[in-house]
Amino acid sequence: MTASEPDARAPSDEADRYGLVGAPSSDELHSLSDLAASIFGAPGAAVTIFTATSEHRIAATGTEPSVCALGESLCTLVEIDDVVVVPDARRDPRLANHPTVTARPGIRFYATAPMRSPDGALVGQLCVFDHRARRTTATQRDALGFLAARATDILELRLRSGQLSTSLEELTEARDELARSNVALSHFAAQVSHDLRNPLMAVRANAEVLAGEPVIRADPELAAAVERIADAARGMSGMIHDVLSLAQEGGRPTVREVDLGEVVDRVLLDLSPLVRQAGAHVEVEDLPVVPADPALLHSVLLNLLDNSLKFTRHGIAPQVRVHALARPGWWRICVTDNGAGIPPGHEHAVFLPFVRARPGEGVTRAEGHGIGLATVHRVVTAHGGRVGLEPAPEGGTCAWFELPLDQPATDRHEAT
C-alpha cells in the first residue's frame, strides 16, 4: 500500500451502516473533539469517517464539519495502525507537499488515531492539528487513542439504538396486528358459532318431535336412532361452543377429571354410521381418567377416529385400536389403525390448518378441508400436551397425544 492510498481494510459502507451521512451532528462526538484538542492544547480537532469516495468530517473543533473527496485531506495520506503523531508536517515527506500544509497558515502539527469497528474495520479517524509545530507526551498519545476508541463506541451505540428503535417499531406493529387479528378471530368465532348452532338446533328440535311420534315410539330400534340423533346434536352444540371459545382471545380449556373411556364411547356413538359403513372393527382398551376439558377431548378423539375410519386402503376393512400408555407425569393416548398412513415428511405439516396429506395409490380418498388435525394440535397444546403421528408397527398410522397429570381445574367462565 502506497502512502497515497487509503487503508484497504476500510469498508466502503461503514458510513451508511452507521447512518452518519447527511445525519445531524452528534453532541457526544463534538465533546470528544473538544476534549482531544484540549488535551493537546491545539486549536483544532475533528472526527472523520470514510465512504467509498469521500471523507466526512462529522464533528469538529476550531473548524466546520465538511465533506471532501477521498485523499484530499491529510487523513488518508498516512498509513495508520495506531496513534500517529507528526510534530512538523513540513518536514514529513508524506505531508510536506499537501495543500493544507503549504498554505499560509498551513497545518504544521498533526496527530491522528484510528477508529475501528468491533470487527476491526477502519471506520474513520480522530485527528488533532495546529498551525504550529509541537511536541507531545506519551500520556497525550495514549489519550488520543483512548478517545478514538470512545468515538467508535458512540457510533456503535448510535447504530444499536437505531436498530433497537426499529425492532421496537416492528414489535409494536406486530402487537397491533395481533390485536386486530384476535378481534377478527373473536368475531369470526362468534359468527361461526351462530351459523353452526342454528342448524343443530333445528336437527335437535326435529329429532325431539320425531321421538314423540307414535310410529317412532312403536319401533324401539327407530326410537333409539332418533335419540342418538338428538344426543349427537346436543353434544355437537357443546363441542362447537368449547372449541370456538378456545379460539377467542384468552380462551382456555375447562379442566376437570374426565373418563376417557366414556368420551370414546360417545365418539363411537357419533361415528356409528361410519363404523358400520366401513365394516370397521374398533378395539378400545382400558383408558384412564385425566384432567382435561371433556368437550375438547371429544373433539380430539372424534377427529382422530374419524381419520382412522376414512383414510383406508381399498378392500381392507379398518382395524382401529385405542389404548393408553402411562408415562411419568403424563398419559399418552394412542389411536392406531391399519389404513393409508402418512406420506414420509408430512408428519408435522398435517397439523397445520388447511394442510392435507395427499393419499397414495390404492388409498381411499376422503373429503375434508385439513382443519381436523389442526384442531387436535390446538386443543392438545392448550392443555399443555403434545401430539404426533408415527407409522404403525404393522402398517397404517399411530396418532397419539399426551396430557399432563398436573393441570389445575378451572371453572367454565374462565374459558369463555
Side-chain angles (χ1 to χ4, degrees):
M1 180 173 67
T2 66
S4 62
E5 292 176 337
D7 189 337
R9 291 166 293 176
S12 62
D13 62 347
E14 285 299 320
D16 292 336
R17 188 171 78 90
Y18 286 112
L20 297 169
V21 177
S25 300
S26 166
D27 290 340
E28 295 87 350
L29 292 177
H30 275 293
S31 296
L32 286 182
S33 175
D34 291 343
L35 184 56
S38 176
I39 289 173
F40 282 86
V47 177
T48 301
I49 56 101
F50 306 128
T51 68
T53 58
S54 57
E55 302 171 25
H56 295 253
R57 185 178 291 175
I58 58 175
T61 300
T63 185
E64 294 296 325
S66 62
V67 180
C68 66
L70 198 64
E72 288 186 359
S73 74
L74 298 180
C75 293
T76 55
L77 297 183
V78 180
E79 184 175 353
I80 180 171
D81 288 323
D82 201 350
V83 176
V84 173
V85 175
V86 180
D88 188 345
R90 292 182 182 178
R91 297 178 180 274
D92 191 304
R94 298 170 297 181
L95 308 179
N97 295 322
H98 194 275
T100 60
V101 176
T102 59
R104 298 290 182 176
I107 291 178
R108 299 286 298 276
F109 171 76
Y110 178 73
T112 183
M115 295 164 50
R116 296 192 180 277
S117 63
D119 60 1
L122 184 62
V123 175
Q125 296 174 222
L126 173 60
C127 307
V128 179
F129 45 87
D130 196 352
H131 299 300
R132 297 185 299 114
R134 61 171 58 245
R135 295 186 179 278
T136 59
T137 66
T139 300
Q140 288 174 316
R141 293 191 291 272
D142 290 344
L144 185 61
F146 176 82
L147 292 179
R150 302 293 74 76
T152 307
D153 290 342
I154 290 172
L155 298 186
E156 285 291 322
L157 180 59
R158 178 172 178 163
L159 174 64
R160 306 306 174 198
S161 296
Q163 292 172 338
L164 179 59
S165 177
T166 299
S167 297
L168 287 174
E169 290 177 2
E170 292 174 351
L171 286 174
T172 300
E173 291 177 0
R175 180 202 62 192
D176 294 342
E177 180 60 31
L178 179 60
R180 287 191 293 269
S181 297
N182 281 334
V183 170
L185 179 60
S186 178
H187 292 165
F188 172 74
Q191 184 63 46
V192 170
S193 177
H194 176 270
D195 291 346
L196 290 179
R197 282 182 178 178
N198 283 345
L200 281 174
M201 289 177 62
V203 171
R204 178 180 173 183
N206 286 315
E208 291 174 349
V209 170
L210 283 174
E213 293 294 325
V215 66
I216 299 297
R217 292 201 304 269
D219 187 334
E221 186 175 344
L222 195 56
V226 171
E227 178 57 31
R228 286 197 299 270
I229 293 173
D231 189 55
R234 286 190 292 268
M236 186 64 68
S237 178
M239 186 179 69
I240 288 171
H241 173 271
D242 289 335
V243 171
L244 292 179
S245 70
L246 188 66
Q248 296 177 8
E249 185 177 7
R252 290 182 294 169
T254 303
V255 177
R256 63 180 177 85
E257 294 297 309
V258 180
D259 187 332
L260 281 176
E262 293 180 358
V263 175
V264 172
D265 288 343
R266 290 184 61 84
V267 169
L268 291 176
L269 184 62
D270 292 342
L271 295 175
S272 56
L274 182 58
V275 172
R276 289 194 299 269
Q277 179 183 353
H281 173 73
V282 181
E283 178 185 358
V284 182
E285 300 184 1
D286 290 338
L287 297 175
V289 173
V290 297
D293 186 307
L296 296 181
L297 275 193
H298 184 279
S299 173
V300 168
L301 288 163
L302 181 67
N303 278 291
L304 295 183
L305 283 164
D306 183 63
N307 283 347
S308 293
L309 295 170
K310 289 197 301 188
F311 290 98
T312 60
R313 289 177 286 178
H314 286 307
I316 300 178
Q319 301 286 327
V320 183
R321 174 176 173 238
V322 184
H323 64 287
L325 299 173
R327 303 286 176 86
W330 300 77
W331 275 106
R332 172 175 282 204
I333 314 303
C334 304
V335 178
T336 305
D337 61 52
N338 64 338
I342 298 295
H346 289 73
E347 294 86 351
H348 301 292
V350 292
F351 288 104
L352 298 174
F354 310 112
V355 173
R356 299 178 69 234
R358 181 169 299 178
E361 184 177 357
V363 176
T364 300
R365 291 182 177 270
E367 297 297 326
H369 300 285
I371 62 174
L373 289 180
T375 300
V376 169
H377 181 269
R378 184 175 179 85
V379 170
V380 172
T381 54
H383 282 78
R386 302 187 306 153
V387 62
L389 298 175
E390 298 174 356
E394 299 179 358
T397 303
C398 173
W400 56 266
F401 62 94
E402 293 180 337
L403 297 174
L405 300 180
D406 57 352
Q407 297 187 76
T410 59
D411 294 329
R412 169 61 59 183
H413 73 274
E414 292 180 320
T416 59

